[in-house]
Amino acid sequence: KQEVTQIPAALSVPEGENLVLNCSFTDSAIYNLQWFRQDPGKGLTSLLLIQSSQREQTSGRLNASLDKSSGRSTLYIAASQPGDSATYLCAATNNDMRFGAGTRLTVKP
Amino acid sequence: DTGVSQDPRHKITKRGQNVTFRCDPISEHNRLYWYRQTLGQGPEFLTYFQNEAQLEKSRLLSDRFSAERPKGSFSTLEIQRTEQGDSAMYLCASRSTGGAGPNYGYTFGSGTRLTVV
């Protein structure tokens, strides 16, 4: 059974700082890995999808990498802003999608 | 098509009552998923459909829970005899499995927040 772990559980940084969120998964036979953002009480917004054959994806200030062999993915956020404050979830897809518990990010002005 | 729609957004019910949630997926997506999310946790898989067939159910889906997708379009999730432990956000997602494999990302709805009092 796929297990997904996210570290740290919570992170607080000053505005403008670059940061890295970590995600690890136990079963490397994934089809893809997806990063989501979730605001309090809201649904999930997809940020980046990395196919199993890819190493990274970029969207604006976000960059996600994937290392299947080591079972790891990272989400890099450049020049963080207060509007980036949210919970970030990673999810690995085998036959279905399994989520980590998320990293709660707070960016202080 | 504006994405995955869920109704209602919020539901407050008394313990012991039955509730039903609806999900309308993206029209061309053949797979539909239900997840449950409690406070501070990531979403947990409940069940999924490929077209109208329910292909997998999690152990989390007790006998009080039933899901349907009768025509391969919208889906309903019913909880009978609700308990306080059922309070959670219920999320629906859809995706397409076209092509060589399940390499297409999931699109989630905004969820239905259930509170059992």
Side-chain angles (χ1 to χ4, degrees), chain B residues 31-84:
Chain B
R31 285 207 177 174
L32 185 150
Y33 299 78
W34 285 99
Y35 286 81
R36 181 174 71 186
Q37 186 179 24
T38 54
L39 199 62
Q41 299 297 315
E44 297 172 292
F45 169 77
L46 292 179
T47 187
Y48 86 91
F49 294 83
Q50 177 149 318
N51 300 313
E52 65 275 10
Q54 189 173 17
L55 296 188
E56 186 176 346
K57 293 193 290 185
S58 162
R59 291 175 299 170
L60 294 175
L61 215 65
S62 75
D63 291 344
R64 297 184 297 105
F65 288 69
S66 62
E68 294 183 343
R69 194 183 183 196
K71 298 182 179 179
S73 56
F74 73 92
S75 176
T76 57
L77 177 67
E78 180 183 16
I79 308 175
Q80 296 181 328
R81 304 181 303 282
T82 52
E83 302 173 355
Q84 287 188 322

Side-chain angles (χ1 to χ4, degrees), chain A residues 31-32 34 38 49 51 97 100, chain B residues 35 37 42 102-103 105-106 108:
Chain A
Y31 293 108
N32 60 54
Q34 198 164 356
Q38 187 174 34
L49 170 70
Q51 307 287 7
M97 176 177 279
Chain B
Y35 286 81
Q37 186 179 24
N103 287 331
Y106 290 50
F108 278 81

Side-chain angles (χ1 to χ4, degrees), chain A residues 13-19 61 77-84 105 107:
Chain A
V13 300
E15 181 177 4
E17 198 163 288
N18 302 327
L19 57 99
R61 295 182 293 108
I77 302 177
S80 58
Q81 302 171 358
D84 294 332
L105 174 65
V107 181

